């Protein structure tokens, strides 16, 4: 393992050094040069994905409506499964119905931890701060609503991910929207459409893995470390190089290696970050009722920041979609590796993600920002800097704790998204060792690039790439939701009759 990590370090440095030297010789800082390049190259792409219509003078991205509408439709169509199936979800997570002899590579808990590590990231810290600073406290309400509805989307896509996954003789599996779009739609007599949608998704997922799952995470982690400890302030590329080596050392081992790391990191980072937020909330428990009042009032008040009711709704829905990725299809890739013979089991486990990610963690972040009043006196700060200021306004030393949490969030998100991007890459270019290694090296290079850029180009590209994945995925969910509904009724009947065996 250590020799592979050294090999990654040498390769990444070899690929990166000429770019750094060129940028410095060109007479400008490397951060500025890379930002300008990405703004020029991906500007048209961002504009297309976030094409907006004006509603009451407020710009509304159609891609957000595309995601949220799907979540509400699936909520109703699946019989509000996110509320009726919670108890069964927890039983599955506990291993009550887990057969160790089933095909797959990871347990239900490991699959959930891996998927959560891909969604519980800096979107929960920086993204929430962006929403509250632009949309006011009311954005929190719409984040919660979107999170609850998104549980049905996650249930549907992760069920399909296991149902149509590809199992190989050596025991490893590949699954996700690429496979259920091509295989599922082929079953319905639409093989051509399925193949086109699958390829489109895979391409966008690769971009998403480089953007929101990589560059955005590294960018905010670097900013947090620089602000907290005063190091790497002018050498983001060096911080990125170190981070790239650590990421490379983990992802070289595949999903089993990633799962082993995430099942330890996810509980740890939850304890650190949620525990820190709880300390602040408990210390200010008398302000919690008034904070919730601001959230409810702000959600419907016409004088809400950022364009009235429509403006605050847009900010809340947009950041929730970016945070939990329900409908995007990314998590289905991780859940497809689970050990199970029943696709519905992973659908039930997966619906817990948006609840943990958005309803719990995002809400706690927003409450800290609101209770401390940081959003009203931001001094121009946004993203992770605003969240950090909110935490430190209560206990100055909490900035160090938050910095550790940010690093864990960023690292775990990176290694999970490397797997998402890898499976999309191998879907397009084949399952081979050379293909996998090529992607992993490119991914590590993008870690360095992300740490060397300004926030604007990073967040624009990140949002656009991840949201673009939903174009083909949501269409596939509509076309295949009847299949999931039929399987759901059959599964519930077999659970009720006792046909499905309990192991605990």
């Amino acid at each position: 393992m250590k020799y592979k990590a050294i090999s990654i370090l040498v390769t990444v440095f070899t690929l990166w050094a000429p770019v750094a030297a060129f940028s410095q010789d060109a007479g400008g800082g490397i951060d500025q040069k890379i930002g300008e390049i990405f703004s020029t190259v991906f500007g048209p792409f961002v504009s297309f994905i976030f094409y907006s219509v004006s509603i009451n003078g407020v710009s509304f991205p159609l891609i957000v409506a595309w995601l949220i509408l799907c979540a509400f439709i699936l909520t109703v169509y699946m019989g509000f499964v996110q509320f009726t199936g919670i108890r069964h979800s927890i039983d599955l997570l506990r291993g009550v119905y887990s057969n160790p002899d089933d095909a797959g590579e990871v347990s239900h808990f490991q699959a959930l931890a891996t998927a959560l590590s891909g969604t519980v990231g800096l979107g929960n810290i920086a993204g929430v701060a962006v929403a509250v600073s632009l949309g006011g406290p009311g954005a929190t309400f719409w984040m919660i609503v979107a999170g609850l509805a998104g549980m049905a989307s996650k249930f549907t896509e992760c069920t399909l991910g296991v149902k149509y996954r590809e199992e190989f003789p050596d025991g490893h599996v590949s699954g996700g929207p690429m496979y259920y779009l091509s295989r599922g739609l082929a079953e319905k007599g639409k093989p051509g459409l399925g193949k086109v949608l699958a390829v489109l998704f895979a391409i966008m997922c690769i971009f998403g893995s480089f953007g929101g799952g990589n560059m955005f995470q590294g960018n905010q982690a670097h900013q947090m470390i620089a602000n907290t400890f005063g190091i790497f302030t002018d050498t983001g590329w060096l911080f990125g190089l170190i981070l790239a080596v650590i990421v490379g050392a983990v992802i070289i081992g595949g999903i089993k290696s990633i799962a082993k790391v995430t099942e330890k990191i996810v509980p740890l980072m939850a304890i650190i970050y949620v525990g820190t937020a709880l300390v602040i909330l408990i210390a200010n428990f008398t302000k919690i009722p008034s904070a919730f009042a601001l959230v409810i009032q702000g959600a419907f008040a016409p004088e809400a920041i950022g364009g009235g009711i429509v403006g605050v709704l847009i900010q809340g829905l947009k950041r929730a979609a970016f945070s939990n990725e329900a409908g995007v299809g990314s998590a289905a890739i991780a859940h497809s590796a689970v050990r199970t013979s029943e696709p519905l089991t992973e659908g039930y486990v997966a619906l817990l993600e948006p609840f943990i990610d958005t309803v719990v963690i995002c809400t706690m972040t927003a409450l800290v920002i609101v209770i401390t009043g940081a959003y009203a006196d931001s001094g121009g700060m946004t993203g992770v800097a605003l969240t950090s200021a909110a935490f430190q306004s209560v206990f100055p030393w909490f900035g160090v704790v938050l910095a550790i949490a940010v690093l864990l969030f960023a690292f775990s998100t990176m290694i999970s998204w490397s797997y998402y991007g890898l499976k999309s890459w191998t879907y397009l270019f084949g399952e081979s060792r050379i293909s996998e290694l090529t992607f992993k090296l490119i991914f590590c290079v993008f870690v360095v690039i992300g740490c060397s850029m300004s926030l604007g180009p990073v967040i624009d590209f990140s949002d656009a790439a991840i949201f673009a994945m939903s174009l083909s995925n949501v269409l596939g969910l509509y076309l295949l939701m009847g299949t999931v509904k039929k399987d759901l009724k059959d599964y519930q009947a077999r659970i009720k009759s006792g046909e499905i065996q309990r192991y605990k």
Side-chain angles (χ1 to χ4, degrees), residues 169-211:
D170 64 357
H172 87 276
V173 299
S174 289
M178 310 83 71
Y179 293 89
Y180 63 69
L181 288 170
S182 56
R183 293 182 170 189
L185 294 183
E187 286 185 359
K188 291 186 172 296
K190 300 179 177 64
L193 175 62
K195 192 68 175 179
V196 170
L197 293 178
V199 170
L200 176 62
F201 176 88
I203 293 172
M204 291 299 101
C205 186
I206 292 171
F207 277 116
S209 70
F210 292 153

Coordinates of all heavy atoms in Angstrom, one line a residue, residues 169-211:
P169 N -17.7 -12.8 -11.7 CA -17.3 -14.1 -11.1 C -16.4 -14.0 -9.9 O -16.4 -14.8 -9.0 CB -16.6 -14.8 -12.3 CG -17.2 -14.2 -13.5 CD -17.4 -12.8 -13.1
D170 N -15.6 -12.9 -9.8 CA -14.7 -12.8 -8.7 C -15.3 -12.2 -7.5 O -14.7 -12.0 -6.4 CB -13.5 -11.9 -9.1 CG -13.9 -10.5 -9.4 OD1 -15.1 -10.2 -9.4 OD2 -12.9 -9.7 -9.7
G171 N -16.6 -11.9 -7.5 CA -17.4 -11.4 -6.4 C -17.6 -10.0 -6.3 O -18.5 -9.5 -5.6
H172 N -16.9 -9.2 -7.2 CA -17.2 -7.7 -7.1 C -18.4 -7.4 -8.0 O -18.7 -8.1 -8.9 CB -15.9 -6.9 -7.5 CG -15.8 -6.7 -9.0 ND1 -15.2 -7.6 -9.8 CD2 -16.1 -5.6 -9.7 CE1 -15.1 -7.2 -11.0 NE2 -15.7 -6.0 -11.0
V173 N -19.0 -6.3 -7.7 CA -20.2 -5.9 -8.5 C -20.1 -4.4 -8.9 O -19.3 -3.6 -8.4 CB -21.5 -6.0 -7.6 CG1 -21.7 -7.4 -7.1 CG2 -21.4 -5.0 -6.4
S174 N -20.9 -4.1 -10.0 CA -20.9 -2.7 -10.5 C -22.4 -2.4 -10.7 O -23.2 -3.2 -11.3 CB -20.2 -2.6 -11.8 OG -18.8 -2.7 -11.6
G175 N -22.8 -1.3 -10.2 CA -24.2 -0.9 -10.3 C -24.4 0.6 -10.3 O -23.4 1.4 -10.2
G176 N -25.6 1.0 -10.4 CA -25.9 2.4 -10.4 C -26.8 2.8 -11.6 O -27.3 1.9 -12.3
P177 N -27.1 4.1 -11.7 CA -28.0 4.5 -12.8 C -27.5 4.0 -14.2 O -28.4 3.8 -15.1 CB -28.0 6.0 -12.7 CG -27.7 6.3 -11.3 CD -26.8 5.2 -10.8
M178 N -26.2 3.9 -14.4 CA -25.7 3.5 -15.7 C -26.3 2.1 -16.1 O -26.7 1.9 -17.2 CB -24.2 3.4 -15.8 CG -23.5 4.6 -15.2 SD -23.4 4.6 -13.4 CE -22.2 3.3 -13.1
Y179 N -26.4 1.3 -15.1 CA -26.9 -0.1 -15.3 C -28.4 -0.2 -15.3 O -29.0 -0.9 -16.1 CB -26.3 -1.0 -14.3 CG -24.8 -1.1 -14.4 CD1 -23.9 -0.3 -13.8 CD2 -24.2 -2.1 -15.3 CE1 -22.5 -0.3 -13.9 CE2 -22.8 -2.2 -15.4 CZ -22.0 -1.3 -14.8 OH -20.7 -1.4 -14.9
Y180 N -29.1 0.5 -14.4 CA -30.5 0.4 -14.4 C -31.2 1.2 -15.5 O -32.3 0.8 -16.0 CB -31.2 0.6 -13.1 CG -31.1 2.0 -12.4 CD1 -31.7 3.1 -12.9 CD2 -30.4 2.1 -11.2 CE1 -31.7 4.3 -12.3 CE2 -30.3 3.4 -10.6 CZ -31.0 4.5 -11.1 OH -30.9 5.7 -10.5
L181 N -30.5 2.2 -16.0 CA -31.0 2.9 -17.2 C -30.9 2.0 -18.4 O -31.9 1.9 -19.2 CB -30.3 4.2 -17.4 CG -30.6 5.3 -16.4 CD1 -29.6 6.5 -16.6 CD2 -32.0 5.8 -16.5
S182 N -29.8 1.4 -18.6 CA -29.6 0.5 -19.8 C -30.4 -0.8 -19.7 O -31.1 -1.1 -20.7 CB -28.1 0.3 -20.1 OG -27.5 -0.3 -18.9
R183 N -30.2 -1.5 -18.6 CA -30.9 -2.8 -18.5 C -32.4 -2.7 -18.2 O -33.2 -3.4 -18.8 CB -30.2 -3.5 -17.3 CG -28.8 -4.0 -17.6 CD -28.2 -4.8 -16.5 NE -27.0 -5.4 -16.8 CZ -26.3 -6.3 -16.1 NH1 -26.9 -6.7 -14.9 NH2 -25.2 -6.7 -16.4
G184 N -32.7 -1.7 -17.3 CA -34.2 -1.6 -17.0 C -35.0 -1.1 -18.2 O -36.1 -1.7 -18.4
L185 N -34.5 -0.1 -18.9 CA -35.3 0.4 -20.0 C -35.3 -0.6 -21.2 O -36.2 -0.7 -22.0 CB -34.7 1.7 -20.5 CG -34.9 2.8 -19.5 CD1 -34.5 4.2 -20.0 CD2 -36.4 3.0 -19.1
A186 N -34.2 -1.5 -21.3 CA -34.2 -2.5 -22.3 C -35.3 -3.5 -22.0 O -35.9 -4.0 -23.0 CB -32.8 -3.2 -22.3
E187 N -35.6 -3.8 -20.8 CA -36.7 -4.7 -20.4 C -38.0 -4.1 -20.9 O -39.0 -4.9 -21.1 CB -36.7 -5.0 -18.9 CG -35.6 -5.9 -18.4 CD -35.8 -6.2 -16.9 OE1 -36.7 -5.6 -16.3 OE2 -35.0 -6.9 -16.4
K188 N -38.1 -2.8 -20.9 CA -39.3 -2.2 -21.3 C -39.4 -1.8 -22.8 O -40.2 -1.1 -23.3 CB -39.5 -0.9 -20.5 CG -39.8 -1.1 -19.0 CD -40.1 0.1 -18.3 CE -40.5 -0.2 -16.9 NZ -41.8 -0.9 -16.8
G189 N -38.5 -2.4 -23.5 CA -38.5 -2.3 -25.0 C -37.9 -1.0 -25.5 O -38.1 -0.5 -26.6
K190 N -37.1 -0.3 -24.6 CA -36.4 1.0 -25.0 C -34.9 0.9 -24.8 O -34.3 1.7 -24.1 CB -37.0 2.1 -24.1 CG -38.5 2.3 -24.3 CD -38.9 3.5 -23.4 CE -40.4 3.8 -23.5 NZ -41.3 2.6 -23.1
P191 N -34.3 -0.1 -25.5 CA -32.8 -0.2 -25.3 C -32.0 0.9 -25.8 O -31.0 1.3 -25.1 CB -32.5 -1.5 -26.1 CG -33.6 -1.6 -27.1 CD -34.8 -1.1 -26.4
G192 N -32.4 1.6 -26.9 CA -31.7 2.7 -27.4 C -31.7 3.9 -26.5 O -30.7 4.5 -26.2
L193 N -32.9 4.2 -26.0 CA -33.0 5.3 -25.0 C -32.3 5.0 -23.7 O -31.6 5.9 -23.2 CB -34.5 5.5 -24.7 CG -34.8 6.6 -23.6 CD1 -34.3 8.0 -24.1 CD2 -36.3 6.6 -23.3
G194 N -32.3 3.8 -23.3 CA -31.6 3.4 -22.0 C -30.1 3.6 -22.2 O -29.5 4.1 -21.2
K195 N -29.6 3.2 -23.3 CA -28.2 3.3 -23.5 C -27.7 4.8 -23.6 O -26.7 5.1 -23.0 CB -27.8 2.6 -24.8 CG -26.3 2.4 -25.0 CD -25.7 1.4 -24.0 CE -24.3 1.1 -24.3 NZ -23.7 0.2 -23.3
V196 N -28.5 5.6 -24.3 CA -28.1 7.0 -24.4 C -28.2 7.7 -23.0 O -27.3 8.4 -22.6 CB -29.1 7.7 -25.3 CG1 -28.9 9.2 -25.2 CG2 -28.9 7.3 -26.7
L197 N -29.2 7.4 -22.2 CA -29.3 8.0 -20.9 C -28.2 7.5 -20.0 O -27.7 8.2 -19.1 CB -30.7 7.6 -20.3 CG -31.9 8.3 -20.9 CD1 -33.2 7.8 -20.3 CD2 -31.8 9.8 -20.9
A198 N -27.9 6.2 -20.1 CA -26.8 5.6 -19.3 C -25.5 6.3 -19.5 O -24.7 6.6 -18.6 CB -26.7 4.1 -19.5
V199 N -25.2 6.5 -20.8 CA -23.9 7.1 -21.2 C -23.9 8.6 -20.7 O -22.8 9.1 -20.2 CB -23.7 7.0 -22.7 CG1 -22.5 7.9 -23.2 CG2 -23.5 5.6 -23.1
L200 N -25.0 9.3 -20.9 CA -25.1 10.7 -20.5 C -24.8 10.8 -19.0 O -24.1 11.6 -18.5 CB -26.4 11.3 -20.9 CG -26.7 12.7 -20.4 CD1 -25.7 13.7 -21.0 CD2 -28.1 13.1 -20.7
F201 N -25.5 9.9 -18.2 CA -25.3 9.9 -16.8 C -23.8 9.6 -16.4 O -23.3 10.3 -15.5 CB -26.2 8.8 -16.1 CG -26.0 8.7 -14.6 CD1 -26.7 9.5 -13.7 CD2 -25.0 7.9 -14.1 CE1 -26.4 9.5 -12.4 CE2 -24.7 7.8 -12.7 CZ -25.5 8.6 -11.9
A202 N -23.2 8.6 -17.0 CA -21.9 8.3 -16.7 C -20.9 9.4 -16.9 O -20.0 9.7 -16.1 CB -21.4 7.1 -17.5
I203 N -21.1 10.1 -18.0 CA -20.2 11.3 -18.4 C -20.4 12.4 -17.3 O -19.4 12.9 -16.8 CB -20.6 11.8 -19.7 CG1 -20.2 10.8 -20.8 CG2 -19.9 13.2 -20.0 CD1 -20.6 11.2 -22.2
M204 N -21.7 12.7 -17.0 CA -21.9 13.7 -16.0 C -21.4 13.3 -14.6 O -21.0 14.1 -13.8 CB -23.4 14.0 -15.9 CG -24.0 14.7 -17.1 SD -23.2 16.3 -17.4 CE -22.0 15.9 -18.8
C205 N -21.5 12.0 -14.3 CA -21.0 11.5 -13.0 C -19.5 11.7 -12.8 O -19.0 12.0 -11.8 CB -21.4 10.1 -12.8 SG -21.0 9.4 -11.1
I206 N -18.8 11.5 -13.9 CA -17.4 11.7 -13.9 C -17.1 13.1 -13.6 O -16.2 13.5 -12.8 CB -16.8 11.2 -15.2 CG1 -16.9 9.7 -15.4 CG2 -15.3 11.6 -15.3 CD1 -16.5 9.1 -16.7
F207 N -17.8 14.0 -14.3 CA -17.6 15.5 -14.1 C -18.0 15.8 -12.6 O -17.3 16.6 -12.0 CB -18.5 16.3 -15.0 CG -17.8 16.5 -16.4 CD1 -18.4 16.0 -17.5 CD2 -16.7 17.3 -16.5 CE1 -17.8 16.2 -18.8 CE2 -16.1 17.5 -17.7 CZ -16.7 17.0 -18.9
G208 N -19.1 15.2 -12.1 CA -19.5 15.4 -10.8 C -18.5 15.0 -9.8 O -18.2 15.6 -8.7
S209 N -17.8 13.8 -10.0 CA -16.8 13.3 -9.1 C -15.6 14.3 -9.1 O -15.0 14.4 -8.0 CB -16.4 11.9 -9.5 OG -15.6 11.9 -10.7
F210 N -15.3 14.9 -10.2 CA -14.2 15.8 -10.2 C -14.5 17.2 -9.6 O -13.7 17.8 -9.0 CB -13.7 16.1 -11.7 CG -13.1 14.9 -12.3 CD1 -13.1 14.8 -13.7 CD2 -12.4 13.9 -11.6 CE1 -12.5 13.7 -14.4 CE2 -11.8 12.8 -12.2 CZ -11.9 12.7 -13.6
G211 N -15.8 17.5 -9.7 CA -16.3 18.8 -9.2 C -16.7 18.8 -7.7 O -16.0 19.0 -6.8

